[in-house]
């Protein structure tokens, strides 16, 4: 494992502490002619904010970015069946609003087949804009929220588009703001109001403009829609069955968003001529595909790829890198650098930060089976979690056919993988689908609720750290 920390600043405001690590086993067997060798490496980035060295002027850290949040609260007719669902949603949303720090800009939107700006009420002839949070605006927002009258259908893409419009009304057109959406829904997108293709188009149009966390309640929402939204908009999806826990979930998500103090961080990969990039994606705390973004011109070499990351709080994220290592007649025992991993900042960042030096990804050609047959335990851990996702989806597909035998075998393998990686939450979800035996066998339950499948698909997008 190689790693590097930011050096401590001698004076001035405290900077975030950023650490970059690469975990791998460098040994690979010399491939036969015409064959390739695959190298895996785990890239881990940790951001920590030290205590401020100068007095704060507000609730946020010194030199923190401006924050803005839009709450999208489902007000469709299904939210009143049963009536306790809407009451719980109002209570949770009100608690989230009161968790917005002073000075953060916020707005509340009620969603049905059309989004309605609940707070602040738009003035005639204006599109409406978020307002700065204080005791008075938070109380007014709660009053406006509870005065709403649910009704109509569900068109979530339109809600997200309305949030984007609101963020563009922020001071300076939102430049320098960290923008976040918190979405609460109990239903699926209704084709009568918005097709699946239209939802995808509107979600993609919002990419890179804000992050979005989504919470599903009730039993009529669809995991693939929430995962589409949170995957594209760099957020996290949750399923909440017990409405008593909804308030805590929304409050925590609001506070976590307000704590994201470092924006513009990118992972840059310098690939040598001896390597080909196969994949690079986030594997912790959630699985997320990453799309390369244009690197600034002129790039140092034609082999540069950059990946943007969403704003950071105090947290650790891990990424799995896969490269094809090309052998060019090197002797056994020789070491070759396949790539360098570096952290860089995009333009327009508001807080100073010293980034760690780059870390290499190496290959060491070996003829010793005892060396090249090893895999770094952290890499193996996340490859097991990737397999867990695959076999779980195989089980879900078999249930739809239906093919009980295939579903049972797939969920049985998923259970074993969940045990191996120590994912106790996923084991809890799988127990609602199968009954595992002490001898390693499993039995598919005769009655499986759709909610249990949907919530398990949400859970499998989350990962656990290696034990």
């Amino acid at each position: 494992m190689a790693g590097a920390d930011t050096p401590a600043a001698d004076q001035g405001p405290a900077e975030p502490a950023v650490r970059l690590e690469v975990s791998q086993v460098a040994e690979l067997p010399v491939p036969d002619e015409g064959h390739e060798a695959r190298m895996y490496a785990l890239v881990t980035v940790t951001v920590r904010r030290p205590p401020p060295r100068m007095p704060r002027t507000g609730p946020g850290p010194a030199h923190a970015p401006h924050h803005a949040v839009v709450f999208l609260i489902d007000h469709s007719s299904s939210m009143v069946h049963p009536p306790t669902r809407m009451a719980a949603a109002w209570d949770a949303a009100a608690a989230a609003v009161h968790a917005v720090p002073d000075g953060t800009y916020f707005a509340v939107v009620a969603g049905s087949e059309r989004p309605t700006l609940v707070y602040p009420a738009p003035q005639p002839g204006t599109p409406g804009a978020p307002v700065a949070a204080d005791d008075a605006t938070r109380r007014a927002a709660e009053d406006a929220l509870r005065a709403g009258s649910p009704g109509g259908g569900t068109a979530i893409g339109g809600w997200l588009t309305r949030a984007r419009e609101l963020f563009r009304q922020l001071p300076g057109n939102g430049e320098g703001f960290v923008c976040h959406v918190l979405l609460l829904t109990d239903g699926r997108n209704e084709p009568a109001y918005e097709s699946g293709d239209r939802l995808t188009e509107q979600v993609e149009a919002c990419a890179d403009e804000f992050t979005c966390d989504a919470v599903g309640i009730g039993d009529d929402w669809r995991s693939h829609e929430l995962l589409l939204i949170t995957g594209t908009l760099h957020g996290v999806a949750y399923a909440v069955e017990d409405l008593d826990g909804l308030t805590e979930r929304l409050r925590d998500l609001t506070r976590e968003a307000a704590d994201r103090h470092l924006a513009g961080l990118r992972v840059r990969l310098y690939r040598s001529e001896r390597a080909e990039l196969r994949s690079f994606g986030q594997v912790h705390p959630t699985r997320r595909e990453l799309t390369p973004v244009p690197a600034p011109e002129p790039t140092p070499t034609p082999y540069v790829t950059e990946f943007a990351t969403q704003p950071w709080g105090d947290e650790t994220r891990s990424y799995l890198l896969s490269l094809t290592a090309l052998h060019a007649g090197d002797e056994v025992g020789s070491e070759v650098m396949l790539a360098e991993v570096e952290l860089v900042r995009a333009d327009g960042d508001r807080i100073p930060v010293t980034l760690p030096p780059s870390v290499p990804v190496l290959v060491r050609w070996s003829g010793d089976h005892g060396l090249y047959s090893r895999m770094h335990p952290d890499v193996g851990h996340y490859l097991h979690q990737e397999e867990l996702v695959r076999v779980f989806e195989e089980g879900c597909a078999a249930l739809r056919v239906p093919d009980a035998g295939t579903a049972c075998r797939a969920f049985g393998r998923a259970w074993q993988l969940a045990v191996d990686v120590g994912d106790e939450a996923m084991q809890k979800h799988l127990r609602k689908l199968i009954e595992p035996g002490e001898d390693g066998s499993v039995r598919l339950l005769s009655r499986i609720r759709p909610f249990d499948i949907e919530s398990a698909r949400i859970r499998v997008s989350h990962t656990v750290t290696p034990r």
Side-chain angles (χ1 to χ4, degrees):
M1 175 183 292
D5 289 295
T6 56
D10 295 328
Q11 59 184 1
E15 295 183 2
V18 183
R19 181 170 177 81
L20 170 65
E21 298 173 284
V22 170
S23 304
Q24 65 165 142
V25 169
E27 284 79 14
L28 284 180
V30 177
D32 296 332
E33 185 175 352
H35 291 75
E36 300 173 339
R38 177 80 67 90
M39 171 60 70
Y40 289 102
L42 188 70
V43 178
T44 301
V45 181
T46 300
V47 174
R48 294 288 181 265
R49 180 171 56 209
R53 298 177 185 168
M54 57 190 302
R56 290 186 178 184
T57 58
H63 296 279
H66 296 303
H67 285 80
V69 57
V70 172
F71 298 96
L72 301 180
I73 310 301
D74 194 333
H75 267 57
S76 61
S77 57
S78 61
M79 287 290 288
V80 296
H81 301 292
T84 52
R85 184 178 300 168
M86 192 73 253
W90 279 337
D91 288 344
V97 165
H98 285 284
V100 176
D102 287 348
T104 296
Y105 285 77
F106 78 103
V108 181
V109 172
S112 58
E113 67 263 28
R114 291 184 302 274
T116 301
L117 181 59
V118 172
Y119 186 83
Q123 300 302 311
T126 68
V131 296
D134 57 30
D135 288 342
T137 57
R138 285 188 289 260
R139 285 194 301 269
E142 179 181 358
D143 292 342
L145 180 68
R146 294 186 185 277
S149 298
T154 304
I156 299 175
W159 310 354
L160 295 167
T161 297
R162 186 69 177 101
R164 182 182 63 179
E165 294 169 351
L166 288 167
F167 288 135
R168 291 181 176 180
Q169 300 303 313
L170 290 165
N173 296 320
E175 184 69 27
F177 277 81
V178 172
C179 297
H180 179 251
V181 164
L182 182 52
L183 165 66
L184 172 67
T185 184
D186 79 329
R188 72 189 80 178
N189 226 47
E190 297 181 63
Y193 303 112
E194 186 175 87
S195 69
D197 288 344
R198 179 59 179 155
L199 170 63
T200 300
E201 290 173 4
Q202 295 188 88
V203 171
E204 291 177 347
C206 296
D208 303 322
E209 297 208 22
F210 56 83
T211 60
C212 178
D213 294 328
V215 178
I217 60 174
D219 56 9
D220 200 35
W221 51 272
R222 289 295 174 262
S223 57
H224 71 273
E225 292 179 349
L226 297 193
L227 293 173
L228 165 69
I229 292 166
T230 57
T232 305
L233 302 181
H234 305 291
V236 183
Y238 294 92
V240 176
E241 182 174 20
D242 183 1
L243 292 179
D244 290 339
L246 184 60
T247 292
E248 182 180 2
R249 173 65 68 192
L250 263 61
R251 185 191 292 123
D252 287 349
L253 289 173
T254 302
R255 289 172 174 166
E256 289 168 10
D259 191 50
R260 292 170 188 153
H261 57 277
L262 178 61
L265 198 63
R266 292 183 174 187
V267 180
R268 178 181 289 177
L269 301 177
Y270 295 89
R271 176 177 59 85
S272 77
E273 296 180 355
R274 302 289 299 278
E276 294 180 0
L277 177 62
R278 299 185 66 96
S279 63
F280 184 77
Q282 181 176 301
V283 292
H284 185 75
T286 56
R287 299 175 60 258
R288 178 172 295 123
E289 294 183 6
L290 298 181
T291 302
V293 295
E297 296 292 343
T299 57
T301 78
Y303 299 97
V304 175
T305 309
E306 283 190 7
F307 298 88
T309 67
Q310 67 270 32
W312 292 72
D314 283 14
E315 59 184 305
T316 296
R317 301 177 195 163
S318 295
Y319 308 87
L320 189 62
L321 169 64
S322 175
L323 297 165
T324 296
L326 304 180
H327 184 260
D330 308 294
E331 294 182 358
V332 171
S334 61
E335 187 174 87
V336 177
M337 187 173 71
L338 298 177
E340 278 188 279
V341 183
E342 184 182 25
L343 298 179
V344 297
R345 295 289 299 282
D347 293 337
D349 305 303
R350 299 187 68 246
I351 62 174
V353 61
T354 303
L355 296 175
S358 61
V359 181
V361 179
L362 305 172
V363 62
R364 190 176 301 113
W365 301 112
S366 174
D368 186 339
H369 181 270
L371 292 177
Y372 66 66
S373 62
R374 299 176 305 154
M375 177 174 288
H376 193 283
D378 292 353
V379 171
H381 173 86
Y382 289 110
L383 286 176
H384 274 81
Q385 295 206 337
E386 295 290 298
E387 185 184 358
L388 170 57
V389 174
R390 180 181 60 79
V391 297
F392 176 76
E393 287 300 330
E394 287 178 1
C396 292
L399 281 183
R400 290 191 292 268
V401 173
D403 181 347
T406 298
C408 187
R409 287 190 293 273
F411 289 147
R413 176 58 179 159
W415 168 265
Q416 186 58 57
L417 289 166
V419 171
D420 290 345
V421 301
D423 191 340
E424 295 181 358
M426 190 62 193
Q427 294 173 45
K428 181 179 178 180
H429 281 281
L430 286 168
R431 283 188 180 275
K432 298 178 181 180
L433 311 178
I434 58 173
E435 180 181 341
E438 294 183 359
D439 60 353
S441 63
V442 299
R443 181 181 65 84
L444 192 68
L445 297 182
S446 58
R447 182 179 180 275
I448 296 175
R449 298 183 304 165
F451 176 86
D452 292 331
I453 288 289
E454 296 297 305
S455 60
R457 292 191 75 221
I458 293 292
R459 172 58 223 179
V460 83
S461 69
H462 299 244
T463 60
V464 296
T465 54
R467 289 178 292 191

